[in-house]
């Protein structure tokens, strides 16, 4: 009977047969939870009792209650660290795309932190930042002992310390993406530029930057999204103490520590819309057609 069907009908049946399982899984474990999250966000629910519809009250609480709104300020540390991270990654990717001695060794050194487990990195930097730890010891050795402080105990400096750890943790990812994009540029372009007398800075400005503009925008979106959803490093190292709670840590604590599932869902929806807005702005200002 199947052989009597037209080729177009057979093709549609085969495509649907292959897609039905992954689409069912996608709808069950992605679309349905997101839909439920939107519903929970407009209710007052503790996870086990009856849900009470409260409209936009949870959203108003997030933006007006200082306890919840201040975590946006913490995210700014990771937001600015994103640009530092990308600048350093682009710098090293550009340098190592040219002829440099031991460049394969340096590539491995820069990318290696990204391969490490986040929990291990958190514990490593706990020892690094603790009083009389590795950082204080180095400062003492170079005569800068007066600058030693409680890196994770001082609310004024703790988020800078954690953001610096995140830079070291994730820079390797941006580095390897930039390096791959730069390596795809034809060597003949560099040769022609050298014949015309272009130095390394001019090659970077007029050849490399325009050629990898789309990759930069992609990394920018990923980095900003990661900054807004920072969780692993601050949660492991401080648990959100001393004013280091990020938006995601606050969301998790609100849901599972304080039992405010509805309010936590509203925070998750806000984070989702922020990421969508960032992506739309990226497509607007860094479109491939440009």
């Amino acid at each position: 009977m199947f052989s009597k069907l037209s080729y177009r009908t057979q093709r549609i049946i085969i495509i649907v047969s292959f897609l039905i399982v992954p689409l069912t899984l996608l709808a069950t474990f992605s679309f349905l939870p997101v839909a439920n999250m939107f519903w929970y966000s407009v209710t007052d629910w503790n996870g086990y009792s009856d849900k009470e519809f409260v409209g936009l009250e949870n959203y108003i609480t997030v933006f007006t209650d200082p306890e919840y709104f201040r975590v946006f300020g913490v995210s700014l540390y990771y937001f600015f660290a994103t640009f530092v991270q990308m600048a350093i990654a682009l710098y090293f990717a550009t340098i190592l795309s040219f002829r440099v001695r031991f460049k394969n060794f340096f590539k491995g050194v820069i990318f290696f932190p990204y391969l490490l487990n986040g929990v291990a990195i958190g514990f490593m930097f706990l020892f690094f930042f603790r009083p009389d730890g590795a950082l204080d010891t180095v400062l003492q050795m170079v005569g800068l002992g007066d600058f030693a402080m409680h890196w994770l105990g001082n609310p004024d400096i703790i988020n800078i310390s954690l953001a610096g750890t995140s830079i070291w943790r994730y820079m390797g990812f941006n580095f390897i993406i930039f390096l791959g994009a730069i390596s795809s540029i034809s060597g003949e372009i560099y040769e022609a530029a050298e014949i015309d007398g272009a130095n390394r800075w001019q090659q970077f400005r007029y050849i490399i930057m325009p050629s990898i503009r789309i990759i930069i925008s992609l990394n920018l979106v990923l980095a900003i999204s990661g900054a807004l959803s920072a969780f692993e490093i601050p949660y492991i190292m401080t648990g959100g103490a001393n004013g280091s709670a990020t938006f995601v840590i606050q969301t998790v604590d609100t849901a599972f520590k304080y039992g405010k599932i509805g309010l936590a869902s509203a925070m998750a929806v806000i984070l989702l819309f922020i990421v969508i807005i960032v992506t739309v702005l990226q497509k607007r200002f860094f479109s491939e057609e440009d």
Side-chain angles (χ1 to χ4, degrees):
M1 180 177 178
F2 185 78
S3 59
K4 295 181 180 180
L5 299 176
S6 66
Y7 172 75
R8 180 181 177 84
T9 303
Q10 293 180 23
R11 186 177 179 183
I12 293 175
I13 293 175
I14 292 173
I15 292 174
V16 171
S17 300
F18 276 98
L19 288 179
I20 189 169
V21 173
L23 287 178
T24 301
L25 294 174
L26 183 65
T28 303
F29 296 105
S30 294
F31 297 151
L32 182 59
V34 170
N36 285 333
M37 182 178 67
F38 276 92
W39 162 237
Y40 298 154
S41 70
V42 294
T43 64
D44 181 12
W45 186 45
N46 57 15
Y48 53 87
S49 62
D50 293 336
K51 304 178 185 67
E52 179 184 352
F53 180 78
V54 294
L56 298 178
E57 183 178 325
N58 290 325
Y59 294 94
I60 295 173
T61 300
V62 174
F63 287 108
T64 57
D65 192 329
E67 180 182 355
Y68 300 101
F69 189 75
R70 66 178 177 80
V71 295
F72 287 104
V74 176
S75 297
L76 291 177
Y77 288 94
Y78 297 91
F79 178 77
F80 289 115
T82 290
F83 295 94
V84 176
Q85 172 184 297
M86 289 189 61
I88 297 174
L90 183 57
Y91 172 78
F92 282 116
T94 303
I95 294 296
L96 295 178
S97 65
F98 296 109
R99 293 187 183 92
V100 178
R101 295 182 63 183
F102 307 112
K103 71 176 183 177
N104 288 332
F105 169 77
F106 291 117
K107 290 177 184 177
V109 169
I110 295 172
F111 184 65
F112 179 70
Y114 184 71
L115 301 177
L116 296 178
N117 182 273
V119 177
I121 291 176
F123 283 109
M124 284 168 50
F125 276 87
L126 276 176
F127 287 99
F128 181 76
F129 285 122
R130 73 178 184 178
D132 297 325
L135 180 57
D136 288 352
T137 301
V138 172
L139 292 176
Q140 292 285 353
M141 291 175 59
V142 299
L144 298 176
D146 293 338
F147 290 94
M149 63 183 71
H150 293 286
W151 303 100
L152 297 180
N154 186 347
D156 295 329
I157 199 72
I158 184 172
N159 289 308
I160 297 176
S161 302
L162 295 174
T165 304
S166 295
I167 290 175
W168 186 85
R169 166 76 167 91
Y170 295 105
M171 186 187 69
F173 174 78
N174 287 323
F175 164 77
I176 208 68
I177 298 297
F178 284 141
L179 184 64
I182 294 173
S183 299
S184 66
I185 301 174
S186 175
E188 297 177 354
I189 300 177
Y190 294 113
E191 294 176 1
E194 290 177 355
I195 293 174
D196 291 337
N199 56 33
R200 293 301 191 197
W201 165 248
Q202 291 171 328
Q203 291 178 23
F204 172 78
R205 181 179 179 183
Y206 296 108
I207 297 176
I208 295 177
M209 284 293 288
S211 300
I212 66 170
R213 188 167 180 262
I214 300 301
I215 302 301
I216 293 175
S217 67
L218 172 63
N219 268 1
L220 185 61
V221 170
L222 294 176
I224 293 176
S225 301
L228 294 172
S229 58
F231 173 76
E232 190 178 43
I233 295 297
Y235 188 77
I236 293 168
M237 295 181 64
T238 66
N242 293 331
S244 64
T246 62
F247 193 85
V248 178
I249 292 178
Q250 185 74 10
T251 302
V252 172
D253 286 346
T254 300
F256 301 107
K257 183 182 291 185
Y258 305 114
K260 300 178 180 179
I261 304 298
L263 181 58
S265 298
M267 297 176 70
V269 170
I270 292 171
L271 179 60
L272 174 63
F273 275 107
I274 291 175
V275 173
I276 292 175
I277 291 171
V278 170
T279 304
V280 171
L281 291 176
Q282 177 268 332
K283 289 184 176 295
R284 172 64 180 85
F285 293 105
F286 295 95
S287 62
E288 191 170 359
E289 288 78 7
D290 293 340

